[in-house]
Amino acid sequence: MVNIIEGSDHVSKKDLPTPPPLPSSSTSYCKRPLMNGSPSLRGYSSVSTATKDLWERLFDEGYRADVLIQTENGGVIYAHANVLGMASPVIKGLLKQSKKRDRQRTISILGVPHDAVRVFIRFLYSSCFVEEEMEEFALHLLVLSHVYVVPQLKRECERRVELGLLTTENVVDIFQLALLCDAPRLSFICHRTILNNFKSVSATDGWTALKQSHPFLEKLLLQSMVYEENSRKERITKLKERKVYLQLCEAMEALVHICRDGCRTIGPHDKDFNENQEPCNFAACKGLELLVRHFAGCKLRVPGGCIHCKRMWQLLELHSRLCADSDVCRVPLCRKFKEKIRKQSKKDEIRWRILVKKILRTKSVTGGSFFSWAIVCSS
């Protein structure tokens, strides 16, 4: 017995129990529900290398095997009905339908190489595989795992094909296989690969075979190719439009800046310019300054008489439509354009409203204030 001195909190070190050893590197732990029909119960499963080796030996030696699996070219694999039935619901159904002969049941797995079937059955026992065998039979194992409903192996096969086996030469064949095996991620990756490398893919034997055997699928791929090209052109057009609207936003900001604060050598008549003033932060000021100087001295300043003046008239009208308060705005002709707007035709009004709406939407996407040029107009 361990003697503890009454009133003392200290225990002799020699009386402490020896701690248990740490788990070895060959033991792995994973939390998972216990397979006993009760989803509320949970526990810990530790599967060591020795346990996996035991299942491997059970498969290799075929100890008391009660299932005979017939494969291509007369090949035979011995297995255990309990293991196969628990690992695959499809094989479980096949075993129930098969008849016993000399205490053994016989099923057939044909259409794939014998070695691929052996790798598949081995995985049902130990959930293990050899890297070289997986690379060699990945596509065959993908089909087997889909047909016999082994999702863990199916995910692994999809991953292996995505990472290392997909090329422009075989992408058409793998794409068709992915569609048949209900592998959406793999089919999507194949589809993107075909679209991105269509010129080289269309010259392969796989594409030629696809045209002969599945013309409808070829038509869908060509339609998606056209759609992708149209989408790309549409994205480029929208980017160009957005660039124009951003330039108009900057021009409106620069116009208010020039008319209120002045910039370099141009500004309001009551503004004193400093030769050593700081550089302007508005990129559009330089071009707008040249346009304003031309507008002030042009003899054909009437709308339609000069292309540069026409552009200036349009900028002034656009500002008036964006300005929040023309009574305090220092931009020239802001109030007059406000009055002109009321007399415009419905067609012109709709055209201007669409332009203003797109400019405000572009400005909101960039994070700027909607009416920053209007708010700062006050003197």
PDB file of all heavy atoms in Angstrom, residues 38-59:
ATOM      1  N   SER A  38     -25.405   1.631 -34.279  1.00  0.00           N
ATOM      2  CA  SER A  38     -25.834   2.755 -33.460  1.00  0.00           C
ATOM      3  C   SER A  38     -25.022   3.979 -33.834  1.00  0.00           C
ATOM      4  O   SER A  38     -23.839   4.056 -33.503  1.00  0.00           O
ATOM      5  CB  SER A  38     -25.638   2.428 -31.968  1.00  0.00           C
ATOM      6  OG  SER A  38     -25.982   3.552 -31.177  1.00  0.00           O
ATOM      7  N   PRO A  39     -25.603   4.969 -34.546  1.00  0.00           N
ATOM      8  CA  PRO A  39     -24.826   6.139 -34.980  1.00  0.00           C
ATOM      9  C   PRO A  39     -24.409   7.034 -33.830  1.00  0.00           C
ATOM     10  O   PRO A  39     -23.532   7.856 -33.972  1.00  0.00           O
ATOM     11  CB  PRO A  39     -25.795   6.859 -35.924  1.00  0.00           C
ATOM     12  CG  PRO A  39     -27.154   6.417 -35.483  1.00  0.00           C
ATOM     13  CD  PRO A  39     -26.996   5.019 -34.995  1.00  0.00           C
ATOM     14  N   SER A  40     -25.032   6.865 -32.647  1.00  0.00           N
ATOM     15  CA  SER A  40     -24.688   7.736 -31.529  1.00  0.00           C
ATOM     16  C   SER A  40     -23.398   7.323 -30.848  1.00  0.00           C
ATOM     17  O   SER A  40     -22.756   8.115 -30.176  1.00  0.00           O
ATOM     18  CB  SER A  40     -25.835   7.743 -30.503  1.00  0.00           C
ATOM     19  OG  SER A  40     -26.053   6.429 -30.010  1.00  0.00           O
ATOM     20  N   LEU A  41     -22.991   6.041 -30.988  1.00  0.00           N
ATOM     21  CA  LEU A  41     -21.773   5.562 -30.350  1.00  0.00           C
ATOM     22  C   LEU A  41     -20.564   5.911 -31.193  1.00  0.00           C
ATOM     23  O   LEU A  41     -20.567   5.741 -32.404  1.00  0.00           O
ATOM     24  CB  LEU A  41     -21.832   4.047 -30.160  1.00  0.00           C
ATOM     25  CG  LEU A  41     -22.903   3.525 -29.186  1.00  0.00           C
ATOM     26  CD1 LEU A  41     -22.878   2.011 -29.161  1.00  0.00           C
ATOM     27  CD2 LEU A  41     -22.683   4.088 -27.793  1.00  0.00           C
ATOM     28  N   ARG A  42     -19.530   6.403 -30.537  1.00  0.00           N
ATOM     29  CA  ARG A  42     -18.294   6.730 -31.240  1.00  0.00           C
ATOM     30  C   ARG A  42     -17.115   6.212 -30.433  1.00  0.00           C
ATOM     31  O   ARG A  42     -17.175   6.098 -29.214  1.00  0.00           O
ATOM     32  CB  ARG A  42     -18.146   8.244 -31.464  1.00  0.00           C
ATOM     33  CG  ARG A  42     -19.148   8.779 -32.468  1.00  0.00           C
ATOM     34  CD  ARG A  42     -18.876  10.235 -32.795  1.00  0.00           C
ATOM     35  NE  ARG A  42     -19.772  10.700 -33.847  1.00  0.00           N
ATOM     36  CZ  ARG A  42     -19.548  10.585 -35.141  1.00  0.00           C
ATOM     37  NH1 ARG A  42     -18.444  10.001 -35.548  1.00  0.00           N
ATOM     38  NH2 ARG A  42     -20.413  11.025 -36.032  1.00  0.00           N
ATOM     39  N   GLY A  43     -16.013   5.924 -31.143  1.00  0.00           N
ATOM     40  CA  GLY A  43     -14.841   5.428 -30.457  1.00  0.00           C
ATOM     41  C   GLY A  43     -13.596   5.698 -31.259  1.00  0.00           C
ATOM     42  O   GLY A  43     -13.626   6.413 -32.248  1.00  0.00           O
ATOM     43  N   TYR A  44     -12.482   5.130 -30.830  1.00  0.00           N
ATOM     44  CA  TYR A  44     -11.201   5.305 -31.501  1.00  0.00           C
ATOM     45  C   TYR A  44     -10.751   3.970 -32.083  1.00  0.00           C
ATOM     46  O   TYR A  44     -10.875   2.924 -31.447  1.00  0.00           O
ATOM     47  CB  TYR A  44     -10.152   5.820 -30.527  1.00  0.00           C
ATOM     48  CG  TYR A  44     -10.337   7.268 -30.182  1.00  0.00           C
ATOM     49  CD1 TYR A  44     -11.131   7.647 -29.114  1.00  0.00           C
ATOM     50  CD2 TYR A  44      -9.723   8.259 -30.943  1.00  0.00           C
ATOM     51  CE1 TYR A  44     -11.310   8.974 -28.805  1.00  0.00           C
ATOM     52  CE2 TYR A  44      -9.903   9.596 -30.643  1.00  0.00           C
ATOM     53  CZ  TYR A  44     -10.697   9.950 -29.572  1.00  0.00           C
ATOM     54  OH  TYR A  44     -10.876  11.280 -29.280  1.00  0.00           O
ATOM     55  N   SER A  45     -10.245   4.061 -33.337  1.00  0.00           N
ATOM     56  CA  SER A  45      -9.757   2.858 -34.014  1.00  0.00           C
ATOM     57  C   SER A  45      -8.265   3.004 -34.236  1.00  0.00           C
ATOM     58  O   SER A  45      -7.809   3.971 -34.835  1.00  0.00           O
ATOM     59  CB  SER A  45     -10.473   2.683 -35.362  1.00  0.00           C
ATOM     60  OG  SER A  45      -9.869   1.663 -36.099  1.00  0.00           O
ATOM     61  N   SER A  46      -7.477   2.072 -33.743  1.00  0.00           N
ATOM     62  CA  SER A  46      -6.032   2.070 -33.972  1.00  0.00           C
ATOM     63  C   SER A  46      -5.682   0.857 -34.810  1.00  0.00           C
ATOM     64  O   SER A  46      -5.936  -0.276 -34.416  1.00  0.00           O
ATOM     65  CB  SER A  46      -5.274   2.026 -32.644  1.00  0.00           C
ATOM     66  OG  SER A  46      -5.614   0.857 -31.941  1.00  0.00           O
ATOM     67  N   VAL A  47      -5.164   1.135 -36.014  1.00  0.00           N
ATOM     68  CA  VAL A  47      -4.801   0.064 -36.930  1.00  0.00           C
ATOM     69  C   VAL A  47      -3.288   0.076 -37.089  1.00  0.00           C
ATOM     70  O   VAL A  47      -2.729   1.026 -37.644  1.00  0.00           O
ATOM     71  CB  VAL A  47      -5.492   0.236 -38.299  1.00  0.00           C
ATOM     72  CG1 VAL A  47      -5.108  -0.915 -39.219  1.00  0.00           C
ATOM     73  CG2 VAL A  47      -7.001   0.312 -38.123  1.00  0.00           C
ATOM     74  N   SER A  48      -2.615  -0.931 -36.612  1.00  0.00           N
ATOM     75  CA  SER A  48      -1.162  -1.000 -36.691  1.00  0.00           C
ATOM     76  C   SER A  48      -0.733  -1.666 -37.985  1.00  0.00           C
ATOM     77  O   SER A  48      -1.533  -2.268 -38.703  1.00  0.00           O
ATOM     78  CB  SER A  48      -0.601  -1.762 -35.492  1.00  0.00           C
ATOM     79  OG  SER A  48      -1.037  -3.104 -35.541  1.00  0.00           O
ATOM     80  N   THR A  49       0.543  -1.551 -38.281  1.00  0.00           N
ATOM     81  CA  THR A  49       1.100  -2.208 -39.466  1.00  0.00           C
ATOM     82  C   THR A  49       0.968  -3.719 -39.374  1.00  0.00           C
ATOM     83  O   THR A  49       0.724  -4.397 -40.386  1.00  0.00           O
ATOM     84  CB  THR A  49       2.578  -1.821 -39.614  1.00  0.00           C
ATOM     85  OG1 THR A  49       2.686  -0.398 -39.657  1.00  0.00           O
ATOM     86  CG2 THR A  49       3.164  -2.400 -40.893  1.00  0.00           C
ATOM     87  N   ALA A  50       1.087  -4.242 -38.177  1.00  0.00           N
ATOM     88  CA  ALA A  50       0.956  -5.687 -37.996  1.00  0.00           C
ATOM     89  C   ALA A  50      -0.450  -6.162 -38.368  1.00  0.00           C
ATOM     90  O   ALA A  50      -0.626  -7.228 -38.964  1.00  0.00           O
ATOM     91  CB  ALA A  50       1.276  -6.069 -36.550  1.00  0.00           C
ATOM     92  N   THR A  51      -1.449  -5.350 -38.023  1.00  0.00           N
ATOM     93  CA  THR A  51      -2.825  -5.726 -38.363  1.00  0.00           C
ATOM     94  C   THR A  51      -3.033  -5.728 -39.865  1.00  0.00           C
ATOM     95  O   THR A  51      -3.662  -6.638 -40.428  1.00  0.00           O
ATOM     96  CB  THR A  51      -3.805  -4.755 -37.693  1.00  0.00           C
ATOM     97  OG1 THR A  51      -3.586  -4.745 -36.283  1.00  0.00           O
ATOM     98  CG2 THR A  51      -5.242  -5.171 -37.966  1.00  0.00           C
ATOM     99  N   LYS A  52      -2.492  -4.715 -40.540  1.00  0.00           N
ATOM    100  CA  LYS A  52      -2.608  -4.665 -41.996  1.00  0.00           C
ATOM    101  C   LYS A  52      -1.880  -5.844 -42.638  1.00  0.00           C
ATOM    102  O   LYS A  52      -2.376  -6.433 -43.609  1.00  0.00           O
ATOM    103  CB  LYS A  52      -2.042  -3.342 -42.517  1.00  0.00           C
ATOM    104  CG  LYS A  52      -2.839  -2.125 -42.081  1.00  0.00           C
ATOM    105  CD  LYS A  52      -2.207  -0.844 -42.612  1.00  0.00           C
ATOM    106  CE  LYS A  52      -3.004   0.376 -42.145  1.00  0.00           C
ATOM    107  NZ  LYS A  52      -2.402   1.650 -42.625  1.00  0.00           N
ATOM    108  N   ASP A  53      -0.712  -6.167 -42.086  1.00  0.00           N
ATOM    109  CA  ASP A  53       0.020  -7.327 -42.616  1.00  0.00           C
ATOM    110  C   ASP A  53      -0.772  -8.611 -42.431  1.00  0.00           C
ATOM    111  O   ASP A  53      -0.716  -9.534 -43.269  1.00  0.00           O
ATOM    112  CB  ASP A  53       1.377  -7.448 -41.927  1.00  0.00           C
ATOM    113  CG  ASP A  53       2.309  -6.303 -42.288  1.00  0.00           C
ATOM    114  OD1 ASP A  53       2.053  -5.645 -43.312  1.00  0.00           O
ATOM    115  OD2 ASP A  53       3.277  -6.064 -41.549  1.00  0.00           O
ATOM    116  N   LEU A  54      -1.526  -8.691 -41.331  1.00  0.00           N
ATOM    117  CA  LEU A  54      -2.341  -9.874 -41.077  1.00  0.00           C
ATOM    118  C   LEU A  54      -3.424 -10.033 -42.140  1.00  0.00           C
ATOM    119  O   LEU A  54      -3.658 -11.139 -42.656  1.00  0.00           O
ATOM    120  CB  LEU A  54      -2.966  -9.775 -39.687  1.00  0.00           C
ATOM    121  CG  LEU A  54      -3.799 -10.978 -39.231  1.00  0.00           C
ATOM    122  CD1 LEU A  54      -2.921 -12.220 -39.126  1.00  0.00           C
ATOM    123  CD2 LEU A  54      -4.481 -10.670 -37.909  1.00  0.00           C
ATOM    124  N   TRP A  55      -4.063  -8.920 -42.501  1.00  0.00           N
ATOM    125  CA  TRP A  55      -5.082  -8.985 -43.557  1.00  0.00           C
ATOM    126  C   TRP A  55      -4.448  -9.306 -44.917  1.00  0.00           C
ATOM    127  O   TRP A  55      -5.051 -10.006 -45.738  1.00  0.00           O
ATOM    128  CB  TRP A  55      -5.830  -7.656 -43.634  1.00  0.00           C
ATOM    129  CG  TRP A  55      -6.796  -7.452 -42.506  1.00  0.00           C
ATOM    130  CD1 TRP A  55      -6.637  -6.654 -41.413  1.00  0.00           C
ATOM    131  CD2 TRP A  55      -8.071  -8.074 -42.368  1.00  0.00           C
ATOM    132  NE1 TRP A  55      -7.734  -6.739 -40.595  1.00  0.00           N
ATOM    133  CE2 TRP A  55      -8.636  -7.606 -41.157  1.00  0.00           C
ATOM    134  CE3 TRP A  55      -8.796  -8.995 -43.132  1.00  0.00           C
ATOM    135  CZ2 TRP A  55      -9.879  -8.013 -40.705  1.00  0.00           C
ATOM    136  CZ3 TRP A  55     -10.050  -9.399 -42.691  1.00  0.00           C
ATOM    137  CH2 TRP A  55     -10.576  -8.913 -41.497  1.00  0.00           C
ATOM    138  N   GLU A  56      -3.247  -8.790 -45.141  1.00  0.00           N
ATOM    139  CA  GLU A  56      -2.544  -9.106 -46.379  1.00  0.00           C
ATOM    140  C   GLU A  56      -2.249 -10.602 -46.470  1.00  0.00           C
ATOM    141  O   GLU A  56      -2.414 -11.232 -47.529  1.00  0.00           O
ATOM    142  CB  GLU A  56      -1.232  -8.320 -46.455  1.00  0.00           C
ATOM    143  CG  GLU A  56      -1.399  -6.801 -46.586  1.00  0.00           C
ATOM    144  CD  GLU A  56      -1.612  -6.379 -48.019  1.00  0.00           C
ATOM    145  OE1 GLU A  56      -1.486  -7.239 -48.911  1.00  0.00           O
ATOM    146  OE2 GLU A  56      -1.924  -5.203 -48.246  1.00  0.00           O
ATOM    147  N   ARG A  57      -1.816 -11.177 -45.363  1.00  0.00           N
ATOM    148  CA  ARG A  57      -1.513 -12.616 -45.338  1.00  0.00           C
ATOM    149  C   ARG A  57      -2.777 -13.438 -45.543  1.00  0.00           C
ATOM    150  O   ARG A  57      -2.768 -14.461 -46.238  1.00  0.00           O
ATOM    151  CB  ARG A  57      -0.858 -12.996 -44.013  1.00  0.00           C
ATOM    152  CG  ARG A  57       0.599 -12.570 -43.875  1.00  0.00           C
ATOM    153  CD  ARG A  57       1.123 -12.947 -42.504  1.00  0.00           C
ATOM    154  NE  ARG A  57       0.897 -14.370 -42.230  1.00  0.00           N
ATOM    155  CZ  ARG A  57       0.914 -14.906 -41.011  1.00  0.00           C
ATOM    156  NH1 ARG A  57       1.132 -14.141 -39.959  1.00  0.00           N
ATOM    157  NH2 ARG A  57       0.709 -16.199 -40.855  1.00  0.00           N
ATOM    158  N   LEU A  58      -3.870 -12.979 -44.951  1.00  0.00           N
ATOM    159  CA  LEU A  58      -5.128 -13.698 -45.112  1.00  0.00           C
ATOM    160  C   LEU A  58      -5.531 -13.757 -46.579  1.00  0.00           C
ATOM    161  O   LEU A  58      -6.011 -14.789 -47.069  1.00  0.00           O
ATOM    162  CB  LEU A  58      -6.219 -13.015 -44.284  1.00  0.00           C
ATOM    163  CG  LEU A  58      -7.620 -13.650 -44.348  1.00  0.00           C
ATOM    164  CD1 LEU A  58      -7.593 -15.053 -43.756  1.00  0.00           C
ATOM    165  CD2 LEU A  58      -8.641 -12.778 -43.620  1.00  0.00           C
ATOM    166  N   PHE A  59      -5.295 -12.649 -47.300  1.00  0.00           N
ATOM    167  CA  PHE A  59      -5.633 -12.632 -48.729  1.00  0.00           C
ATOM    168  C   PHE A  59      -4.636 -13.459 -49.540  1.00  0.00           C
ATOM    169  O   PHE A  59      -5.030 -14.248 -50.413  1.00  0.00           O
ATOM    170  CB  PHE A  59      -5.646 -11.188 -49.225  1.00  0.00           C
ATOM    171  CG  PHE A  59      -5.740 -11.072 -50.714  1.00  0.00           C
ATOM    172  CD1 PHE A  59      -6.904 -11.418 -51.389  1.00  0.00           C
ATOM    173  CD2 PHE A  59      -4.647 -10.641 -51.462  1.00  0.00           C
ATOM    174  CE1 PHE A  59      -6.984 -11.323 -52.772  1.00  0.00           C
ATOM    175  CE2 PHE A  59      -4.720 -10.548 -52.839  1.00  0.00           C
ATOM    176  CZ  PHE A  59      -5.895 -10.894 -53.500  1.00  0.00           C
TER     177      PHE A  59
END
